[in-house]
Amino acid sequence: MIAESNPADILGQSLALPCGAEIKNRIVKSAMSDSLGDGEGNPTEAQIRLYERWANGGAALSFIGEVQGDPRYPEKPGNLVLGETSETELLTSLTHRAVINRSHLWPQIGHAGALSHLPISKPKGPSPIDVDGLHCGGLSADEVQALPAMYARAASHAKAVGFSGVHIHAGHGFLLSQFLSPLFNHRTDGYGGSVEGRCRIILEIVHAVRKSVGADFPIGVRINASDQLEGGLTEADSLETIRMLDQSSIDLIDISGGTYFPGAPSSSDRTSSGPYFVDFSERARKITDVPLMLTGGFKTREQAIDALARGACDIVGVARAIALDPDLPNRWLTDEGGDPQFPRFASSPPGGITAWYTMRLTSIGENNEEAFDMDLESAIQEYDQRDAERSRKWKMKFPHF
């Protein structure tokens, strides 16, 4: 628990991770799908500039999410890919410009599973799914057992091109989150059933990634506090997962929640004024000594300080707040502070708020945030059009099509 009373002191403390790496303060830019890749798995100048901007803005660590280790199962066509098709020069330019001022940059390595982007994928999850709005095949035993090596290759590539750590995505309804959820994992082969079976693949991935990157390279994992779905991952099972991760070589556990399955409530579109998972994180704190990061709903410096002072977490992850103000960490680390002004929308069409914030990130990457003035309908239209254009490029680039 952090005892200092001065806000700048509380947020400005460094944090030593178990592997020996240091996080210079307690404010982290959480993973968001910025959709700024070029459609062929490589960073664009706007994406590079965006992460450079956050590093200059004081973020101790920025996550790029989602980054694909397997281009057959992407979350979006604007995502990066770590693999043999990647342009090394562009990736090293990204890390060279964003791993500055003692700031870290970690890719959030993921596999979208059943949520893989349909125009460029034939989705597969832990088990076949055939429900309204969601259809996918099931991974074979061989495909499951190949996952640790895929994540390990992506992590090794990340280290080689200059990323300063890696983040394994096991939340928000993507593949590893699907493995954890009894609602979507009906396997009977040792990777399903009990929470130990459902967590098995994640532990195997952590072990393989650690072997590939060495003892002194940071590895984080994002997991859900719960799926917020009836029959899905419960908080009790999530706490048991954290207990098992505590026995692994992990350096950071990032707690979030919710899922992007069709019809599910989105945590990021909540209207509550405070962070979402503080109480859960306090319970998690009692069963692990691994540093905890808490992501979801932080809008004010006071909320961040309170979560840290209570000992609920060691790091706060901010997403939309830092999209509104790329200099937010530096601002919060001053005596004066200052919180971003969140926009109010008269209506909220499905996907509109996410699209608006994604286009806001584009404006920052293009050094045009001061002129950004877009309504939700225009944001959706531009967002979808860009995805369609990049989907065409993705199909040309990757041989599984």
Side-chain angles (χ1 to χ4, degrees):
M1 182 177 295
I2 297 176
E4 280 74 2
S5 58
N6 186 294
D9 290 343
I10 292 173
L11 292 168
Q13 282 192 14
S14 64
L15 175 69
L17 299 180
C19 68
E22 181 180 82
I23 306 299
K24 69 177 182 179
N25 63 50
R26 304 302 176 104
I27 309 167
V28 166
K29 199 290 293 183
S30 185
M32 292 181 279
S33 185
D34 58 65
S35 292
L36 278 173
D38 65 359
E40 298 183 345
N42 302 307
T44 58
E45 175 61 26
Q47 188 175 40
I48 294 170
R49 192 181 296 118
L50 175 65
Y51 287 89
E52 181 180 36
R53 182 78 170 81
W54 278 321
N56 283 320
L61 162 63
S62 291
F63 295 106
I64 299 184
E66 182 177 90
V67 175
Q68 315 302 155
D70 185 337
R72 295 176 298 170
Y73 304 104
E75 178 253 351
K76 284 289 184 180
N79 291 355
L80 299 184
V81 176
L82 291 169
E84 60 184 14
T85 63
S86 304
E87 295 288 344
T88 297
E89 185 176 346
L90 291 173
L91 288 169
T92 54
S93 177
L94 168 64
T95 59
H96 178 74
R97 288 170 56 180
V99 183
I100 57 173
N101 304 329
R102 295 170 50 227
S103 295
H104 284 258
L105 181 66
W106 299 4
Q108 184 185 61
I109 302 173
H111 179 308
L115 295 180
S116 299
H117 193 58
L118 277 174
I120 53 174
S121 182
K122 295 180 180 178
K124 285 187 178 182
S127 305
I129 298 175
D130 187 8
V131 297
D132 186 28
L134 190 67
H135 307 273
C136 78
L139 294 168
S140 69
D142 287 345
E143 287 173 319
V144 174
Q145 290 164 11
L147 288 171
M150 181 273 285
Y151 279 84
R153 286 192 301 271
S156 180
H157 191 181
K159 182 178 181 181
V161 296
F163 287 100
S164 55
V166 292
H167 198 225
I168 297 167
H169 198 355
H172 293 173
F174 298 114
L175 180 69
L176 299 184
S177 177
Q178 293 159 32
F179 266 96
L180 286 173
S181 173
L183 187 61
F184 301 105
N185 182 350
H186 306 142
R187 299 184 72 92
T188 59
D189 62 354
Y191 291 98
S194 68
V195 64
E196 290 82 7
R198 288 180 273 127
C199 187
R200 176 182 169 186
I201 189 61
I202 298 173
L203 297 176
E204 290 180 353
I205 287 169
V206 170
H207 177 76
V209 169
R210 175 59 70 199
K211 186 175 180 181
S212 74
V213 298
D216 59 354
F217 194 73
I219 304 173
V221 172
R222 167 173 282 185
I223 66 166
N224 280 355
S226 78
D227 290 344
Q228 301 173 347
L229 290 172
E230 184 176 352
L233 179 73
T234 65
E235 290 192 357
D237 279 358
S238 184
L239 288 171
E240 188 57 34
T241 300
I242 289 172
R243 195 186 307 276
M244 288 184 277
L245 286 170
D246 180 70
Q247 302 303 308
S248 74
S249 62
I250 210 71
D251 294 293
L252 183 69
I253 299 172
D254 176 14
I255 296 170
S256 188
T259 175
Y260 292 109
F261 279 105
S266 171
S267 294
S268 59
D269 286 346
R270 290 184 179 189
T271 57
S272 62
S273 59
Y276 309 140
F277 309 109
V278 175
D279 292 342
F280 174 86
S281 190
E282 285 185 316
R283 295 198 295 277
R285 176 78 292 160
K286 296 176 182 178
I287 61 174
T288 183
D289 292 325
V290 175
L292 295 178
M293 173 175 160
L294 184 57
T295 297
F298 285 102
K299 296 181 177 180
T300 70
R301 181 169 75 164
E302 182 180 0
Q303 292 167 349
I305 291 169
D306 178 67
L308 291 165
R310 287 167 60 178
C313 61
D314 302 287
I315 288 174
V316 293
V318 289
R320 291 181 173 177
I322 205 170
L324 295 171
D325 181 3
D327 293 314
L328 187 71
N330 284 338
R331 199 176 312 283
W332 279 2
L333 291 171
T334 65
D335 291 338
E336 295 78 12
D339 299 322
Q341 295 296 312
F342 280 76
R344 295 181 179 275
F345 302 106
S347 63
S348 179
I353 295 177
T354 295
W356 189 91
Y357 276 95
T358 304
M359 300 316 300
R360 167 71 183 175
L361 297 183
T362 300
S363 73
I364 298 171
E366 295 175 346
N367 282 336
N368 194 38
E369 67 264 31
E370 297 300 328
F372 180 74
D373 182 18
M374 186 175 286
D375 59 65
L376 295 189
E377 288 75 14
S378 297
I380 292 172
Q381 183 177 4
E382 189 164 337
Y383 177 83
D384 288 345
Q385 181 179 351
R386 187 172 66 180
D387 266 4
E389 292 170 354
R390 288 176 174 167
S391 290
R392 287 191 287 271
K393 294 180 67 176
W394 195 281
K395 289 179 181 180
M396 294 293 292
K397 173 73 172 183
F398 296 107
H400 61 282
F401 286 102

